[in-house]
Amino acid sequence: MPTMLIKLRLVALAVIAATPSVLHAQSAIHSPNESRADSTPSTSDGKDWRLTLTIFRSPGTGLQLSNGHFAVFVAHYPTVIRRDGEQRGTHFVRVGAAAYLAPQARTSPYASISFAPSLTKGWHNSLLGDVGVRQRFGDRYSGQLGGAVLYAPRSGETRINPTIGMGVHF
């Protein structure tokens, strides 16, 4: 893999990882007329930035930054694709956005779309759409279950994959 591409991916990952800290620091600045309690973020109003470490294929193993109904993510997306008559592991970097219908609810439908550059020789860069449901387990953990359509525009190939994943919120 070209060195420049690796560096670009690492920079993008670092920016996403640092964003919640910067936003939290900015939200701590308040006017003299505001009380300290008024400027403290609330986890129940849906206006807080939340960083989530995601695991497996929904959206992938990586980081997701969310606020209210919307989220952006960067992750490693593994799957098995039948190529040349045999099953082969295929890997992607998945960069995209998701929308949650009821972000504060315990259970919420979601939809996401992403660009998925291929890390595996023999499969082209792809687009990936995903729909499913997220289930929260307390304030820190969540699980996602859905289905994804992986489409490689250059070759015209399409694959449908189940997507499951877990998340730990910070």
Side-chain angles (χ1 to χ4, degrees), residues 61-105:
T61 301
L63 295 172
Q64 177 172 287
L65 180 64
S66 59
N67 186 338
H69 291 277
F70 300 100
V72 293
F73 55 84
V74 60
H76 169 250
Y77 181 84
T79 191
V80 176
I81 296 176
R82 186 171 198 82
R83 296 188 328 259
D84 302 327
E86 61 184 71
Q87 300 281 11
R88 294 187 186 178
T90 306
H91 302 269
F92 299 90
V93 172
R94 187 173 179 198
V95 180
Y100 293 89
L101 185 62
Q104 298 305 317

Side-chain angles (χ1 to χ4, degrees), residues 81-133:
I81 296 176
R82 186 171 198 82
R83 296 188 328 259
D84 302 327
E86 61 184 71
Q87 300 281 11
R88 294 187 186 178
T90 306
H91 302 269
F92 299 90
V93 172
R94 187 173 179 198
V95 180
Y100 293 89
L101 185 62
Q104 298 305 317
R106 184 177 171 130
T107 303
S108 176
Y110 72 89
S112 72
I113 188 153
S114 56
F115 175 62
S118 177
L119 298 174
T120 304
K121 187 176 181 176
W123 188 265
H124 299 288
N125 294 340
S126 301
L127 301 173
L128 199 136
D130 183 14
V131 295
V133 65

Side-chain angles (χ1 to χ4, degrees), residues 13-69:
L13 188 59
V15 168
I16 288 173
T19 300
S21 299
V22 171
L23 294 172
H24 180 68
Q26 289 178 349
S27 71
I29 300 171
H30 58 85
S31 69
N33 296 334
E34 291 179 334
S35 71
R36 192 74 169 145
D38 292 339
S39 64
T40 304
S42 165
T43 57
S44 63
D45 64 7
K47 295 179 183 174
D48 295 329
W49 290 95
R50 177 178 277 206
L51 181 65
T52 303
L53 172 64
T54 58
I55 303 163
F56 202 48
R57 288 199 316 205
S58 184
T61 301
L63 295 172
Q64 177 172 287
L65 180 64
S66 59
N67 186 338
H69 291 277

